[in-house]
Each structure stands twice: as structure tokens, then as C-alpha cells.
Amino acid sequence: RAKDQGRNTYHFFETEMTERAVQRLHLETALRGAIARNELELVYQPQFRLANGDLCGVESLLRWTHPELGTISPAKFIPVAEEIGMISELGRWVLTEACNQLTRWDAEGFRVPSLSVNVSVHQVERIDLIDEIKGIIAATDVDPDRLELEVTESVFMRNVERVVENLNALRDLGIRLAVDDFGSGFSSLGYLKQLPISRLKIDKTFVDGVDTDANDSAIARAVIVLGRALGLEVIAEGVETQAQASFLENEGCDAVQGYLFARPMAAGALRDQHYAVTD
Ligand code: C2E
Ligand code: MG
Ligand code: MG
Ligand code: MG
């Protein structure tokens, strides 16, 4: 009996694993064709300066809508793209589309001061990253000063020499660098003084509890103080309540982004908000 049960359990796991593998294969196959089938788009979430409430930047966020699978979260498909070697192609599409949008907004009279684009650690490690970005900037006629790349701390833990080389080359081009999800990784802080970083993005997990949890508020406060001491700008992501925004403002955080102010939206919708803008 015990043996039978064991076998049943085994079969259960086997079936579940097979199902998961099949699902995963579906996802991979679908993702490989997503660009060609025009299933990708970027949405944009505004960032506001706390001192005056003005729009100071916009973050692009990737969306994938599959005809049968529906909308799939980037948190789910970006890791798959990385594993199947598609992230460079995807990253190139994102950068090109984001730069084209910046130019389109300019033409419409909507001047976005800074556009932040998320890039994966795999992109930052590539030897051809700089040539590719130069090509995109030239083709889309975007001023590199208006671009910011968002990378997570994981970037600073891998393949150090290439990463340092690429990040310095980006800085030389005039492109700014932000550390996304700051504080959620396990990297040491040493890289902050060695690399050309201009902004820290306080991770949402800390922002969530700034007004209710003593640890979260201590960490958020420490990041703001650290940023100021190092001459870096600090922005908080995932701000959902007025209490959180007030805390961040009182502590001297420079900028905020989150559902309290606006959700990510289509390019035209963002333009039509007619936000006050400062550089
Ligand atoms: P992220 O860069 O940290 O982006 C912030 C995420 O939080 C976004 O989720 C955004 O929609 C969401 N968010 C913003 N404000 C709030 C809020 O107030 N409350 C809550 N609950 N969520 C908020 P999204 O768009 O699903 O993206 C998830 C992650 O996927 C991003 O995290 C980023 O790591 C990655 N990602 C998105 N687009 C790209 C891309 O073009 N390239 C790469 N490599 N990664 C991307
Ligand atoms: Mg980001
Ligand atoms: Mg983030
Ligand atoms: Mg995050």
C-alpha cells in the first residue's frame, strides 16, 4: 500500500512537471514569434519631482499580449527571454521603440525630460551593447542626455570588467544610470563609488511599509541619506498612498513613481494628461 501510494505521488509529480514543461515550451515558442507578430508594446509611467510636483521623467515598461494566452507579465516572460537567449533581441526592440516614442512625443509638443528604460544584466554584459545603443541613438535622433537605463544590483555582481567598461562607455555617451529595486539585492555598496551611477530607486518592498513598519522606514531613510551623501538622486517606486508620499517628501526623497500618481499607460494617454514639466 505504502508502495502504491509512493508510486501515485511519483506519478502526480511527473504529471505536474510534464504539464509545467509543456506550458513553458508553449511560452517559449510564443515568445520567439512575439516581435514578428507585433504583440509587444511599451507603456509609460510618469515620475514626479516631490519639490514641485512636476513631471521629471517617464519609465517605459514592456507589455506582451498573446492572442490566446492574454497579457503576460514581464516579470514572467523576461526571465524566459533571458534563458532562451532572446533578451538581446527583446532589449533592442525596447530601446528602439522607447527612443522612437521620445521623438514622437517631441514632435507632438510633449517634451519628456528623461526616459528610463529597463535593461537586463545580460544586455549590460554584452560586448556589442555600446555599438548597438549608438546605432539606435543615431537612427532615432535622440539626445543621449535624455536617456536613463535602469539596472538591478545583480549587474554589479557579474563579469565585472565588461560591465564596468560598458557602464563607463554609456556615461561617456551621456546616458544616465539608475539602480533599480535598490536595497533588494545582496550586493555590497562598494560599486556605488566606482561606477557612474546617477540615481537610486528605492525598492517597492521598502516603500510599502515606510509609514507602518519601523524597519522599512529606517531603510528608506538610510537610502535617501546615502544618496544625498554620494550626490545621487533618489526616487521611490511603487508609491501607493499619500502617507507614503508624505514620508518620502519629509525625508528629502527627490522623486516618486507609483499608482498614487499614475499607472503605466499608453504613450498617447500620457501625453494627454498635460502634466506640468520641468527638466
Ligand atoms: P521595475 O522596473 O521595478 O518596474 C516597476 C514595476 O512596478 C512595474 O511592473 C510597474 O508597473 C509596477 N508598479 C509601478 N507602480 C506601482 C505601484 O504603485 N504599485 C504596484 N503594485 N506596482 C507598481 P511591470 O510593468 O509588471 O514590470 C515588472 C518588471 O519587469 C520591472 O520591474 C522590470 O524589472 C521588468 N521589465 C519591465 N519592462 C522591461 C523591459 O523593457 N526590459 C527589461 N529587461 N525588463 C523589464
Ligand atoms: Mg524599472
Ligand atoms: Mg524597480
Ligand atoms: Mg521593482
Side-chain angles (χ1 to χ4, degrees), residues 45 59 62-63 74 94 118 180-181 204 237-238 240 258-259 264:
Q45 190 179 29
E59 179 181 13
L62 186 55
R63 293 292 176 264
V94 167
N118 292 286
D180 206 347
D181 306 338
K204 181 180 189 310
E237 70 172 11
E240 293 180 345
Y259 293 174

Side-chain angles (χ1 to χ4, degrees), residues 15 21 30 45 48 52 54 57 73 91 103 107 109 119-120 153 163 171 177 195-196 198 205 220 230-231 234 254 258:
T15 312
Q45 190 179 29
F48 300 95
N52 56 12
D54 285 359
S73 162
T103 306
V119 293
S120 142
E153 288 166 85
V163 167
R171 184 224 17 230
L177 193 70
L195 293 169
S198 59
T205 54
L230 293 174
V234 179
D254 298 294

